[in-house]
Amino acid sequence: MPVEFLGIAATNDGSETTARSGAAFDRAYTLRLARAHEENGWDRVLFAYGSGSPDPAPAAAYIASKLDTLHILLAHRPNVSYPTFAAKTFATLDQISDGRLTVHFITGGSDHEQQREGDTLTKDERYTRTREYIEIVKKIWTTHEPFDHEGEHYRFHDFVSDVFPVQQPRPGVSFGGSSPAAYEAGGAEADIYCLWGEPLAKTAEQIEAVRAAAAAAGRTDVPRIQVAFRPIIAPTEELAWEKAHRTVGAIRERREAGLVRHRRGGAPENTGSQRLIAIAEAGERYDRALWTPTAAATGGAGNSNALVGTPETVAQALLDYYDLGVDILSARGYDLLDDAIDFGRYVIPIVREEVAKRDAAGAPRGPQTLAAVGA
C-alpha cells in the first residue's frame, strides 16, 4: 500500500539543539512550518501535547483553516477533558479540516507529567481509562441517538452530540506504547499503532506483539504501524556523520547548561524510553543507518533515535522498515523548518518511488521479511 509520511507541527522554532526565538505559540512560524510540509510531499503533521505547552486543538484548527491538503494528527490526553466534550471538539475539527483529522490518544508514561494537570491514577489505571475513553469517543462519533454510559472511569446519561465528523464512519484513532498494557489497549482500539524507531529486529517483535493483541481482542483487522525517527541527512556520508556528532554535542551542551527540561527522578518510567536507553547502552549503530547517541543524550526522551546518512542511505533505511510492515514513517529533524524541506525534497521521493515498485511487483511485507532486509 502507499507509504505515508508524518512530520511535526511545532508551534515555535525551538528544539533540543536550539532555543526558540519567539513565543511558545508563534502563529507565523506555526503556519510557515506546516506549509513547508504541505508543499514538500508530507501527508500529515503531529500537533503534540505537553502539560505546559500551547493547546494543540486550536493550533490545529488554525492550520486546518489555512491549508488545503495537509492532514492533522492531534495528540490528546484523556485526563484533560471529559470524553463527551473531547468527541465534540474532534468532530468540529474534522469539519474545519474537511475530514483531515486523526486523533492520537496519549495515556501518559510519566506520573510527574500527568500530575502536573491533576492526574493521580497509576499507569495501569491510565491505560484502562484510555481504552474506555476511546470507546466512548468512537460511539459519540457514530451514534445519533442519546445513550447512557456507566463505566469504571466515566458516567453520563442521555448524551447525544449535534456535531459529527466529515469522515465516515469516523476519524482514525492513533495510539502508542511499548508495554504489555499498551499493546493490549492499542491492539484493541487503534487504527494506527505508533512506535519509536528501534533496530529492525526489535521493531519486528513489537509489530508481532501489536498484531497478537489485536487478535486477542477479537479483531479481524490489524492496526497500521507507524515508526518515528530523527533523520540527519547531508550530501555525503562524511558530512552527515559530522552533522550527527555536532547535533549530539549541541544536545549535551544545552542539557548540561540546564536549558532543557530534565526528567524528574532519574530513570524514565515509561517502557518506550527504557527500551531506547537499553538499545543505546548496547550499541551506537544498528542496521543500515540507525544511530542511538541522540536518544542517549536526551535520556531516551520520546522520538530520539536518528537515521544518519545521505538522502539515499536514509531512504533505503526507511524502506527496510516499510518492508517490515511499517505503513507510516514519522520524521522530525533538529532544524524543524529546513530539515522538513530537505527531507521532503530529497528523501520522500526516493521512498515513494521504491514503494511503488515494490507494490507493483507484489513484494512481501511483514516481520517475516526481516532476513531479507539485512537485519
Side-chain angles (χ1 to χ4, degrees):
M1 64 168 52
V3 68
E4 295 183 11
F5 288 90
L6 170 71
I8 190 69
T11 59
N12 60 72
D13 61 355
S15 76
E16 297 93 331
T17 60
T18 55
R20 73 184 190 218
S21 62
F25 179 56
D26 181 335
R27 187 173 64 178
Y29 182 82
T30 302
L31 178 57
R32 186 181 177 195
L33 179 61
R35 183 169 284 134
H37 282 85
E38 183 173 77
E39 293 176 349
N40 287 280
W42 299 78
D43 297 287
R44 58 169 61 90
V45 288
L46 167 66
F47 282 85
Y49 189 92
S51 60
S53 302
D55 186 348
Y62 171 67
I63 292 304
S65 69
K66 299 290 186 181
L67 300 181
D68 298 321
T69 61
L70 192 67
H71 286 238
I72 291 163
L73 179 59
L74 178 70
H76 180 76
R77 287 183 185 164
N79 61 290
V80 300
S81 67
Y82 216 69
T84 50
F85 176 85
K88 294 184 297 181
T89 299
F90 303 147
T92 304
L93 182 52
D94 200 54
Q95 290 283 343
I96 292 170
S97 67
D98 196 24
R100 288 179 280 143
L101 175 70
T102 301
V103 183
H104 180 66
F105 291 91
I106 303 174
T107 298
S110 164
D111 289 347
H112 177 237
E113 171 68 5
Q114 295 299 122
Q115 289 166 6
R116 282 177 166 146
E117 294 187 283
D119 185 8
T120 58
L121 296 186
T122 66
K123 186 177 179 181
D124 285 346
E125 290 171 336
R126 293 198 296 268
Y127 274 113
T128 302
R129 177 183 61 191
T130 300
R131 187 168 177 176
E132 182 179 347
Y133 196 99
I134 294 172
E135 291 171 350
I136 293 169
V137 168
K138 286 180 177 178
K139 188 169 183 178
I140 292 171
W141 281 341
T142 56
T143 302
H144 292 258
E145 298 295 331
F147 68 95
D148 301 339
H149 179 82
E150 294 280 345
E152 181 178 351
H153 297 280
Y154 302 103
R155 296 181 180 181
F156 55 85
H157 302 283
D158 200 39
F159 181 82
V160 63
S161 178
D162 194 34
V163 57
F164 291 90
V166 171
Q167 298 177 76
Q168 294 298 313
R170 58 172 177 78
V173 166
S174 172
F175 187 91
S178 297
S179 67
Y183 298 144
E184 182 179 356
E189 297 296 336
D191 301 302
I192 298 169
Y193 201 99
C194 306
L195 303 170
W196 288 333
E198 295 187 2
L200 290 164
K202 291 188 176 295
T203 300
E205 292 170 0
Q206 294 211 73
I207 292 173
E208 293 285 22
V210 171
R211 291 178 175 177
R219 293 178 60 170
T220 56
D221 64 337
V222 294
R224 300 175 68 200
I225 301 296
Q226 173 184 303
V227 178
F229 303 96
R230 306 300 295 270
I232 301 175
I233 62 173
T236 68
E237 295 291 330
E238 181 181 9
L239 290 173
W241 284 104
E242 289 177 1
K243 183 178 177 181
H245 287 288
R246 288 198 307 272
T247 298
V248 167
I251 294 171
R252 290 172 177 160
E253 287 177 8
R254 285 180 54 75
R255 286 178 65 86
E256 290 168 1
L259 300 175
V260 178
R261 181 180 293 172
H262 289 256
R263 181 183 289 108
R264 197 180 210 189
E269 300 168 21
N270 62 304
T271 304
S273 292
Q274 293 168 5
R275 289 174 65 100
L276 293 186
I277 291 172
I279 290 166
E281 289 175 346
E284 288 194 356
R285 295 181 66 169
Y286 293 85
D287 305 320
R288 196 185 299 269
L290 191 72
W291 196 55
T292 65
T294 46
T298 62
N303 170 23
S304 50
N305 268 339
L307 292 175
V308 182
T310 63
E312 292 77 12
T313 295
V314 171
Q316 291 301 322
L318 292 169
L319 286 161
D320 290 342
Y321 287 90
Y322 177 80
D323 292 339
L324 206 61
V326 175
D327 303 300
I328 303 170
L329 299 168
S330 174
R332 171 165 56 102
Y334 291 93
D335 183 332
L336 300 178
L337 181 61
D338 288 347
D339 287 347
I341 294 170
D342 286 347
F343 188 90
R345 287 178 177 173
Y346 304 118
V347 178
I348 289 178
I350 297 174
V351 177
R352 290 201 192 279
E353 181 179 357
E354 291 300 320
V355 164
K357 291 178 182 177
R358 283 163 162 76
D359 290 351
R365 298 177 63 218
Q368 74 278 2
T369 67
L370 191 59
V373 299

